[in-house]
Amino acid sequence: MQKNIPEVEELVKVISKLPGLGPKSARRIVLKLINNREELVRPLTNTLAQIYKNIIRCKICGNIKSSNSNCTWQTCEYSDKNYKQICVVENIADMWVIEGSGIYKGYYHILGGTLSSSDPEKTDNLLISSLIERVKKDSISEIILATSATIEGQTTAHYIQDSLKETKV
């Protein structure tokens, strides 16, 4: 494959940003897409456009959902389940792993990342305040902090613990 076609190089660059894909794998994917335009590119383009247009992050639980519907997982107030526990995770992939195990039966709360250990007060993008509201509103009796064992994950867990204590939840 020629390396000097700007559109091809840009697509390789974008695809290689996906987890587990480097430039070599991205080139193979781009070649497959180019050679199968009608079969792959058109449906992929349409699907990606729909995802970009319609998939948003729920402001209550942090899960992804369609912009014109309620959450579909047992994650937030829209659920017909009546659990008394919330498992707090950093991202959706973490929730999928726990959900896939089939062991945990309760609500999830996806923070959307972790706090920086260098600036633990910067909580702008994390859904910590909505977690506290859910705990109060739904009379949650158990909170499982399933953050990572990294410094950032532990900083986040401690911040959540302190926030819950401060609000006397």
Side-chain angles (χ1 to χ4, degrees), residues 159-169:
Y159 183 87
I160 291 170
Q161 286 175 320
D162 292 345
S163 298
L164 290 168
K165 286 177 187 173
E166 286 174 15
T167 57
K168 296 184 181 28
V169 175

Side-chain angles (χ1 to χ4, degrees), residues 14-139:
V14 169
I15 291 176
S16 66
K17 291 180 181 179
L18 295 171
L21 297 176
K24 206 171 184 182
S25 296
R27 286 195 182 288
R28 286 195 299 272
I29 291 169
V30 168
L31 185 57
K32 180 73 172 180
L33 291 171
I34 289 170
N35 290 331
N36 296 281
R37 290 172 196 250
E38 292 303 313
E39 180 185 334
L40 295 173
V41 175
R42 183 163 296 172
L44 180 63
T45 302
N46 293 338
T47 302
L48 288 172
Q50 288 302 311
I51 286 175
Y52 183 78
K53 180 179 167 189
N54 297 322
I55 302 300
I56 62 171
R57 184 174 176 210
C58 177
K59 292 181 185 331
I60 297 169
C61 69
N63 199 4
I64 54 173
K65 69 182 193 89
S66 177
S67 59
N68 56 5
S69 69
N70 295 334
C71 283
T72 56
W73 284 81
Q74 54 202 38
T75 51
C76 72
E77 70 180 4
Y78 304 117
S79 176
D80 58 354
K81 308 289 185 196
N82 190 16
Y83 299 120
K84 293 296 175 197
Q85 59 188 183
I86 291 181
C87 181
V88 179
V89 295
E90 293 173 15
N91 57 56
I92 293 168
D94 295 337
M95 181 188 76
W96 287 348
V97 169
I98 295 169
E99 184 69 19
S101 74
I103 296 170
Y104 174 72
K105 300 293 183 212
Y107 294 119
Y108 290 94
H109 190 86
I110 300 109
L111 295 170
T114 57
L115 294 172
S116 167
S117 57
S118 62
D119 189 8
E121 299 299 315
K122 189 161 176 31
T123 63
D124 300 347
N125 296 327
L126 302 182
L127 293 180
I128 294 173
S129 59
S130 73
L131 169 65
I132 293 167
E133 290 303 313
R134 287 180 72 196
V135 170
K136 287 180 193 175
K137 183 179 148 294
D138 296 335
S139 302

